[in-house]
Amino acid sequence: MSVPPVSRTASSLRPRLLGRSVVNLVVLVPVLYTLLPVLWLVLASTKNRDALFSSDILSLSGFSFVQNLKDLFAMDGGLFGRWYGNSLLYAVLGAALGALISTACGYAFDKYRFAHKEKLFGLVLAAVMVPQTVLALPLYLMASGAGLVNTFWAVFVPVLFNPFGVYLGRIFSQGYVPDEVLEAARMDGAGELAAYFRVSLRMLGPGLVTVFLFQLTAVWNNFFLPMVMLSDQDLYPVSLGLYSWNSAASVSPEYYPVVVMGSLLAVLPLILAFALLQRFWRSGLTAGAVK
């Protein structure tokens, strides 16, 4: 006895629909885990101190978004604005220079032959696995010996060198820059620097943006190194400045609303950077996937 086509179609659709439901449920859990804290931060930033402590975040009472924003930039003589500028300087300039350095180093590892190349690259890979907090004390001692402690350079110089960025730079160089193109540029009379800046760097654009985004996120969220290096509040980044205010809030509760508002503003540059550069980032992550 043959099974009717309608019954056969319905029975084949059930496992497919069940599989989609399971996949959607699995995806929904991490999405909620990611978005719910951000949603709480947005709602809490609109509340005054009394409404914030009442834990009634969803109510319309106690709306004080504009006042919280004014208090944030007026607190301690407008110190938050200076912290924000410091973070932009550390992160944007540091990530841009760090991405250029990492990409150039990865390109050199890929395209040139020199003594002990693979052993040196092995050291780079080993450095990727070293936590940054482990390096904080050696970096502090080196900065102290050079007289750079409690200066801008004590935080800025270490973020320029990223072993993971060097690794990504070599991968992108292998996937984006054919050796034949470099040979053609050399035959046309271009030197090594000209071939890199005029030919290779343009091809490495998506990879450069990807390394920049990773570096930007790491530097913007950098906390332990500035805490070790800096004692002058005028040099603090946003992360360290908000931590100091949050520590003071246990004694002075008026800091709580400005800490919440400051935390909301602190995530905006990263969201903006990923939104503007996502197409380069996605193409960079899929480099060589269809090669």
Side-chain angles (χ1 to χ4, degrees):
M1 182 177 180
S2 61
V3 180
V6 176
S7 301
R8 186 181 304 169
T9 303
S11 61
S12 63
L13 285 176
R14 287 172 187 170
R16 189 178 303 173
L17 293 176
L18 181 61
R20 289 180 180 178
S21 301
V22 173
V23 170
N24 291 335
L25 181 61
V26 172
V27 171
L28 182 62
V29 172
V31 169
L32 291 177
Y33 179 81
T34 303
L35 293 183
L36 285 179
V38 178
L39 178 61
W40 182 93
L41 189 62
V42 172
L43 295 176
S45 65
T46 64
K47 303 299 179 182
N48 58 28
R49 187 180 64 184
D50 295 334
L52 190 62
F53 280 106
S54 66
S55 299
D56 196 9
I57 300 296
L58 297 178
S59 69
L60 297 178
S61 61
F63 184 84
S64 185
F65 182 85
V66 177
Q67 187 59 45
N68 289 344
L69 194 60
K70 292 180 180 178
D71 292 342
L72 174 65
F73 286 97
M75 185 69 70
D76 292 346
L79 203 53
F80 180 80
R82 187 172 184 85
W83 292 342
Y84 212 84
N86 291 340
S87 285
L88 289 175
L89 188 61
Y90 291 138
V92 177
L93 183 59
L97 292 178
L100 288 173
I101 293 172
S102 297
T103 305
C105 291
Y107 173 85
F109 272 114
D110 175 42
K111 300 304 180 184
Y112 297 112
R113 295 180 181 179
F114 48 89
H116 309 296
K117 181 176 78 169
E118 295 304 327
K119 293 180 180 178
L120 292 174
F121 190 70
L123 292 177
V124 172
L125 295 180
V128 173
M129 297 180 285
V130 178
Q132 293 300 310
T133 52
V134 175
L135 301 177
L137 182 57
L139 288 174
Y140 174 81
L141 295 177
M142 294 171 64
S144 178
L148 297 177
V149 172
N150 200 32
T151 66
F152 165 81
W153 303 106
V155 177
F156 181 75
V157 173
V159 303
L160 298 180
F161 306 98
N162 181 14
F164 184 64
V166 176
Y167 167 74
L168 289 179
R170 183 174 186 178
I171 297 300
F172 289 128
S173 178
Q174 291 174 345
Y176 279 98
V177 185
D179 294 336
E180 295 79 7
V181 174
L182 291 180
E183 291 298 330
R186 290 165 182 152
M187 290 181 65
D188 288 340
E192 296 300 325
L193 288 178
Y196 175 70
F197 285 105
R198 295 180 182 178
V199 179
S200 301
L201 194 58
R202 296 181 180 182
M203 295 180 177
L204 288 170
L208 187 66
V209 172
T210 303
V211 176
F212 170 79
L213 285 175
F214 278 108
Q215 188 79 341
L216 178 70
T217 304
V219 178
W220 186 267
N221 295 326
N222 194 9
F223 170 77
F224 193 70
L225 182 64
M227 185 176 66
V228 171
M229 293 290 189
L230 303 177
S231 58
D232 185 1
Q233 286 194 343
D234 289 340
L235 297 174
Y236 282 4
V238 168
S239 57
L240 186 57
L242 290 177
Y243 171 78
S244 64
W245 275 359
N246 188 60
S247 301
S250 58
V251 178
S252 304
E254 65 270 13
Y255 280 104
Y256 279 117
V258 297
V259 168
V260 174
M261 176 59 73
S263 300
L264 176 63
L265 295 184
V267 302
L268 294 182
L270 296 182
I271 295 175
L272 184 62
F274 274 84
L276 294 177
L277 301 175
Q278 63 174 332
R279 65 188 184 95
F280 297 103
W281 180 51
R282 287 183 299 184
S283 64
L285 288 178
T286 56
V290 294
K291 186 176 180 180

